[in-house]
Amino acid sequence: MDRHRRLLCIHTASLFMLGGKRAFPVHSRGERGAPCGELKKEKGIHRLEAMLFALDLINKDPDLLPNVTLGARILDTCSRDTYALEQSLTFVQALIERDSTDVRCASGEQPIFAKPDKIIGVIGAAASSVSIMVANILRLFKIPQISYASTAPELSDNTRYDFFSRVVPPDSYQAQAMLDIVTAMGWNYVSTLASEGNYGESGVEAFVQISRETGGVCIAQSLKIPREPRPGEFDKIILRLLETPNARAVVMFANEDDIRRVLDAAKRNNQTGHFLWVGSDSWGSKISPVVQQESVAEGAITILPKRASIEAFDRYFKSRSLSNNRRNVWFAEFWEENFGCKLGMHGKRPGSPKKCTGLEKVGRDSTYEQEGKVQFVMDAVYAMAHALHRMHRDLCLGYPGLCPRMSNIDGKELLGYIRNVSFNGEKHPNNNNSNNNNNILHCGDASVPASVCSLPCQTGERKKVVKGVPCCWHCERCEGYHYQASEFTCQLCPYEQRPDQNRTGCQPIPIIKLEWYSPWAVAPVFIAILGILATTFVVVTFVRHNDTPIVRASGREMSYLLLTGIFLCYVITFPMIAAPGLAVCSFRRIFLGLGMCFSYAALLTKTNRIHRIFEQGKRSVAAPRFISPTSQLVIIFSLISVQLMGVFVWFVADPPHTVVDYGEQRTQDPENARGVLKCDISDLSLICSLGYSILLMVTCTVYAIKTRGVPETFNEAKPIGFTMYTTCIIWLAFIPIFFGTAQSAERMYIQTATLTVSLSLSASVSLGMLYMPKVYIIILHPEQNVPKRKRSFKAIVTAATMTNKLSQLASERPNGEVKTELCESKSFVNHCLRYTFSFINYILLI
């Protein structure tokens, strides 16, 4: 018989045979066509000895199956499911009738076949894929099966695997535990790795299903290790895992051999420390997968079902030696492997220089740690024993040994007892009921390594989830005036607010106003102060010399009104810069256009008067109407009243109040956004307020153009013309500057400064051109400020009459005759013109 199929039997008068099938893969899977590979010290020998130890305890227990001995038939499956399936047929040989009709011995006699021992139950298998194969055969012969390590959820289907039982929870519990670990570590992006077969594939499927239902964990990749991997297959797996480098955590449902090869490939590809392994119970607390590659396995988290460490088994196993353990035919090979020595010429380690003495001791001369499934192996054996004990108690009714009713056990009946059996696990001798301590994270590093698809977004950023992968996202900053309203959304702040510094909320936008110390205010204020001082000086000078000819000739009443308008144009600078309030806004509305209205109403009346006088002089000697000072004042105040009436209507329709304009300085960068405190005066209202004054200014300019031909000696026509031309240029420059900066962030400053400076410049032009020459004469040349000789009104009338006659004569005669007569009367004409101008001057002086 092949050494891997050696039989261990315990023969007594009353004997039950149990099959230890695949629960003890003594050797690993062979390579290059070989069925078996190297010895498995823990998963194979430890579990095999655990079954033998449990049988010893049961057979020695007088209260459990008295006078009945349990035996075992154990086969090495070499960790290969196909090889295990082939050997499982040995368990049912006794139940198969052989046809010997065509078989004869050499002597012609009928042969006698040695009937194999009948197996009443099977303990195992370890791998779910093997248990599924074996269960499909055993159910045909009604042989109960108890597994201590097969955890595939598929095996819970009682309609397909009705004779299968187990003492460990299914992978759904294990998958849930692994998901809890992943979640507790803060990992949301992991890969899965499964050995091909029911155990690996079902475990990963359960993990994926639970993670999908629970949410919060995404699967980067799900890779499968082939049942028969080709050379370089594990290197390819590592490279595949590296395609998603952020998924550092790898959830493994793989057998022990595949785990060792995966770790070896990771080490070979210089990926030590990169992967975060989360191993299932097939890794558990085993040492063999990490031998000589501890560095790449550092930080791994492995799990096991809750178990008890059997101290009695530790004492038992440490006491095993070559001399007292001959029933285990693989123990000698274990001895060589465990102590690194060679047993004689036929040893299994031909290359070992050290020779075994047989005096070595487990745990003293080698490391030892109880394999994680030892307790469950013993639980499976004890479950079968307790089921047989209760069946014996019910069927044999105190009969010592096997009674006839149990000579041929009905597997289905035994299954009923197995499903109803219960016993206290603490009856295992010297149990230490504590959980096994699994591997720790990286030594000396208290931080938890990350395995996430995307790093958490910073404050003020929202997650833009990748379609189909809820754990992966792009972080998008909440731009502009948006703030982070939730993990996935940005919302726009209210209009009067802006995002705070970390963009998790909104805060009020700072409110500003034009300050007195601003450069945009200093220059207009300085010009206004100089203008006010100059205007005051002119007024004082005129008042002190009120009865002098120059002051009287200027038209005292209109001059004072014009100076009042000039003064108001300077004064308006101060309410325009002052902090907006009810009073300030009211002053702005009243005086914004009133100063210009005063000025240009007076100048318009004056230029209109000059124009009418000269036009009237062409037609008759009679004086025009409404040229007296009283009439002039009435005309001026009538023009001013229109402005005041408009302001009154404005007050009634829209009372003055302040507003905060958040749109004026609503910059792209919210940090620079400001709310501008201002009076509620729109651009349209401003145009309307200044529009009437500008209309007066334009009309005055027209009259100034019409009176441009008046001789220089006649009363300010030319200075008024130059004043109006210059003023028009100023306001033509004002319009593009004022309205062209409507979109500028400095709008408030530019427009206020432009408006006030334009008003001040207009006032300064009028003051400088109309009054400074007069003040100059009054103060520095008082000798010129004397009355001229007045002529009689009769002479003036005669001159005016002669002028009319000359005009009529010029219209009735041919040009040549007129020219001759005029030349002959040149002295007379000059004389007449002088009298005509004297007449006009007289009228203007009065």
Side-chain angles (χ1 to χ4, degrees):
M1 180 181 292
D2 186 358
R3 67 180 178 91
H4 300 300
R5 299 185 61 177
R6 296 177 184 174
L7 176 64
L8 299 179
C9 296
I10 303 173
H11 295 282
T12 59
S14 300
L15 176 66
F16 287 138
M17 294 299 295
L18 299 180
K21 183 74 186 78
R22 181 63 176 108
F24 318 116
V26 181
H27 291 84
S28 63
R29 183 168 46 200
E31 297 180 357
R32 299 178 182 178
C36 300
E38 60 186 13
L39 181 77
K40 289 190 173 184
K41 296 192 297 182
E42 298 170 336
K43 191 174 181 180
I45 300 300
H46 281 211
R47 295 180 182 180
L48 187 152
E49 291 291 341
M51 181 174 184
L52 297 177
F53 177 61
L55 290 174
D56 290 344
L57 294 177
I58 293 170
N59 291 332
K60 293 178 182 178
D61 190 346
D63 298 326
L64 185 61
L65 288 175
N67 297 321
V68 176
T69 302
L70 293 180
R73 187 178 188 183
I74 302 175
L75 302 176
D76 179 10
T77 60
C78 297
S79 304
R80 190 183 298 272
D81 50 7
T82 55
Y83 189 69
L85 181 60
E86 177 185 340
Q87 297 207 56
S88 65
L89 296 176
T90 62
F91 290 150
V92 297
Q93 287 179 355
L95 302 176
I96 300 176
E97 295 293 335
R98 296 196 179 209
D99 185 7
S100 60
T101 56
D102 296 334
V103 181
R104 291 290 184 268
C105 295
S107 60
E109 298 178 356
Q110 189 172 357
I112 300 175
F113 291 95
K115 192 173 184 179
D117 296 316
K118 183 179 180 182
I119 302 299
I120 63 168
V122 173
I123 304 299
S128 298
S129 58
V130 177
S131 289
I132 289 174
M133 290 185 179
V134 173
N136 285 324
I137 293 178
L138 296 181
R139 70 186 296 266
L140 298 177
F141 299 94
K142 299 182 180 180
I143 299 178
Q145 175 187 2
I146 303 178
S147 173
Y148 72 91
S150 296
T151 54
E154 182 181 354
L155 289 166
S156 298
D157 186 356
N158 197 47
T159 60
R160 296 178 57 191
Y161 309 103
D162 47 346
F163 280 82
F164 175 84
S165 304
R166 54 186 167 193
V167 294
V168 288
D171 283 335
S172 56
Y173 292 92
Q174 185 173 196
Q176 181 65 60
M178 297 174 81
L179 180 63
D180 292 342
I181 292 172
V182 168
T183 303
M185 299 300 288
W187 301 335
N188 66 3
Y189 196 52
V190 301
S191 295
T192 62
L193 186 58
S195 293
E196 185 178 4
N198 294 87
Y199 171 74
E201 296 178 40
S202 298
V204 165
E205 183 180 353
F207 180 85
V208 172
Q209 180 65 27
I210 295 174
S211 63
R212 185 180 296 115
E213 294 173 354
T214 305
V217 177
C218 298
I219 308 302
Q221 296 188 75
S222 287
L223 304 183
K224 187 187 301 184
I225 302 173
R227 198 183 304 271
E228 298 291 340
R230 299 176 181 178
E233 188 71 36
F234 290 92
D235 292 321
K236 293 180 182 179
I237 290 174
I238 295 300
L239 294 178
R240 286 281 305 279
L241 291 174
L242 290 175
E243 291 177 1
T244 52
N246 288 346
R248 296 178 59 191
V250 181
V251 177
M252 300 179 67
F253 279 87
N255 60 56
E256 180 181 340
D257 297 332
D258 288 343
I259 293 171
R260 179 170 47 80
R261 295 176 185 177
V262 168
L263 296 179
D264 182 61
K267 182 179 180 181
R268 189 166 53 252
N269 286 273
N270 297 320
Q271 296 303 318
T272 299
H274 175 76
F275 293 109
L276 308 170
W277 311 107
V278 181
S280 62
D281 60 343
S282 61
W283 185 342
S285 61
K286 297 185 184 70
I287 298 175
S288 59
V290 300
V291 172
Q292 298 182 353
Q293 45 198 23
E294 290 83 359
S295 59
V296 75
E298 183 181 356
I301 303 175
T302 61
I303 67 172
L304 274 177
K306 184 177 181 180
R307 63 167 186 157
S309 180
I310 311 299
E311 293 184 2
F313 176 78
D314 291 340
R315 293 192 297 269
Y316 162 80
F317 193 81
K318 291 178 181 179
S319 67
R320 297 295 88 191
S321 66
L322 294 174
S323 59
N324 64 12
N325 197 20
R326 297 185 180 275
R327 63 180 177 177
N328 187 344
V329 295
W330 297 285
F331 197 72
E333 186 177 354
F334 164 79
W335 197 266
E336 290 183 326
E337 184 71 24
N338 191 53
F339 296 107
C341 60
K342 180 181 179 182
L343 286 171
M345 296 179 60
H346 302 287
K348 302 301 180 183
R349 295 176 61 89
S352 177
K354 180 181 176 182
K355 188 176 181 180
C356 300
T357 63
L359 300 177
E360 294 85 359
K361 188 172 181 62
V362 175
R364 184 192 67 185
D365 301 316
S366 65
T367 59
Y368 168 77
E369 183 178 353
Q370 187 178 125
E371 199 272 335
K373 297 291 178 62
V374 165
Q375 175 207 338
F376 303 108
V377 173
M378 297 183 65
D379 284 345
V381 177
Y382 265 88
M384 186 69 74
H386 279 281
L388 289 170
H389 178 78
R390 295 178 185 181
M391 186 178 186
H392 181 272
R393 183 187 58 192
D394 294 342
L395 298 182
C396 296
L397 302 176
Y399 183 88
L402 291 179
C403 63
R405 291 189 61 183
M406 289 189 67
S407 60
N408 190 12
I409 293 180
D410 183 1
K412 189 171 184 179
E413 188 176 6
L414 176 59
L415 177 65
Y417 282 97
I418 292 175
R419 295 290 172 83
N420 293 317
V421 73
S422 62
F423 60 93
N424 189 353
E426 293 183 357
K427 293 191 69 174
H428 294 325
N430 299 319
N431 279 3
N432 179 14
N433 290 318
S434 63
N435 289 327
N436 182 63
N437 292 324
N438 297 325
N439 297 336
I440 56 170
L441 294 175
H442 296 282
C443 299
D445 188 1
S447 62
V448 178
S451 180
V452 294
C453 180
S454 303
L455 294 176
C457 293
Q458 298 179 358
T459 55
E461 295 180 341
R462 75 177 185 96
K463 293 180 179 179
K464 185 177 181 181
V465 179
V466 177
K467 187 176 181 180
V469 189
C471 301
C472 299
W473 57 80
H474 303 294
C475 294
E476 288 187 349
R477 184 162 180 80
C478 297
E479 297 292 346
Y481 290 82
H482 292 79
Y483 71 99
Q484 183 185 0
S486 67
E487 187 178 7
F488 301 99
T489 59
C490 294
Q491 288 186 2
L492 185 66
C493 286
Y495 191 70
E496 69 279 1
Q497 295 183 354
R498 67 180 183 183
D500 55 24
Q501 189 171 7
N502 56 13
R503 290 185 175 270
T504 56
C506 296
Q507 61 184 5
I509 295 177
I511 298 176
I512 62 170
K513 57 184 177 60
L514 184 59
E515 302 292 346
W516 293 103
Y517 53 80
S518 171
W520 296 99
V522 171
V525 168
F526 179 74
I527 296 174
I529 291 175
L530 292 180
I532 290 172
L533 293 176
T535 304
T536 303
F537 178 74
V538 172
V539 171
V540 171
T541 301
F542 267 51
V543 170
R544 290 184 62 184
H545 302 84
N546 190 52
D547 293 327
T548 62
I550 289 182
V551 175
R552 295 179 62 190
S554 300
R556 288 173 294 187
E557 296 80 2
M558 283 191 293
S559 292
Y560 290 132
L561 285 176
L562 180 57
L563 289 171
T564 300
I566 293 172
F567 183 83
L568 290 177
C569 287
Y570 287 124
V571 169
I572 192 61
T573 297
F574 298 94
M576 291 299 294
I577 295 176
L582 181 60
V584 171
C585 293
S586 300
F587 278 116
R588 287 186 185 181
R589 290 193 180 188
I590 295 172
F591 295 107
L592 181 60
L594 189 61
M596 291 180 62
C597 186
F598 264 82
S599 299
Y600 299 123
L603 288 176
L604 175 61
T605 303
K606 182 175 289 191
T607 55
N608 175 265
R609 181 189 182 208
I610 295 173
H611 175 73
R612 287 189 297 114
I613 288 174
F614 277 94
E615 289 297 317
Q616 180 69 20
K618 295 178 182 179
R619 294 188 294 270
S620 68
V621 296
R625 301 174 62 188
F626 308 118
I627 60 174
S628 66
T630 302
S631 300
Q632 299 293 295
L633 291 177
V634 171
I635 293 173
I636 292 172
F637 282 111
S638 298
L639 295 175
I640 293 174
S641 65
V642 175
Q643 174 76 16
L644 294 176
M645 184 62 66
V647 172
F648 175 76
V649 173
W650 189 8
F651 267 74
V652 173
D654 184 15
H657 60 279
T658 60
V659 294
V660 179
D661 188 352
Y662 293 98
E664 183 172 320
Q665 294 197 24
R666 194 173 180 85
T667 57
Q668 290 185 350
D669 184 3
E671 287 295 320
N672 299 326
R674 297 293 184 270
V676 180
L677 179 63
K678 58 196 303 186
C679 293
D680 187 23
I681 300 178
S682 65
D683 290 345
L684 179 61
S685 301
L686 180 66
I687 293 174
C688 293
S689 178
L690 294 176
Y692 179 67
S693 299
I694 294 175
L695 177 62
L696 295 178
M697 180 187 71
V698 172
T699 306
C700 184
T701 303
V702 171
Y703 278 107
I705 294 173
K706 288 184 176 183
T707 58
R708 68 184 182 279
V710 175
E712 297 180 1
T713 56
F714 286 91
N715 207 12
E716 306 179 301
K718 292 286 176 60
I720 291 175
F722 287 125
T723 298
M724 300 316 300
Y725 304 153
T726 307
T727 303
C728 287
I729 293 174
I730 291 173
W731 286 99
L732 286 175
F734 161 80
I735 292 174
I737 296 175
F738 186 88
F739 294 101
T741 58
Q743 303 301 323
S744 173
E746 304 291 332
R747 172 187 175 185
M748 174 185 67
Y749 305 106
I750 297 175
Q751 290 187 343
T752 301
T754 302
L755 179 59
T756 54
V757 169
S758 297
L759 289 168
S760 296
L761 288 178
S762 299
S764 299
V765 169
S766 300
L767 186 66
M769 290 190 175
L770 298 179
Y771 292 101
M772 285 305 171
K774 296 179 175 60
V775 173
Y776 173 78
I777 293 175
I778 292 173
I779 296 177
L780 298 180
H781 296 282
E783 69 277 4
Q784 298 181 12
N785 190 13
V786 294
K788 294 183 179 180
R789 182 173 60 88
K790 294 185 177 179
R791 301 184 185 274
S792 64
F793 185 75
K794 182 179 180 180
I796 295 172
V797 170
T798 300
T801 302
M802 290 301 297
T803 302
N804 283 335
K805 288 182 178 181
L806 289 174
S807 300
Q808 293 174 1
L809 182 63
S811 62
E812 293 174 357
R813 296 187 179 185
N815 290 339
E817 297 179 4
V818 173
K819 180 178 180 181
T820 303
E821 186 172 342
L822 288 176
C823 289
E824 293 175 352
S825 306
K826 181 177 180 180
S827 59
F828 176 75
V829 171
N830 290 336
H831 180 74
C832 291
L833 288 175
R834 284 197 299 269
Y835 277 96
T836 301
F837 293 146
S838 297
F839 166 70
I840 296 174
N841 190 40
Y842 171 78
I843 294 176
L844 295 176
L845 285 174
I846 63 175

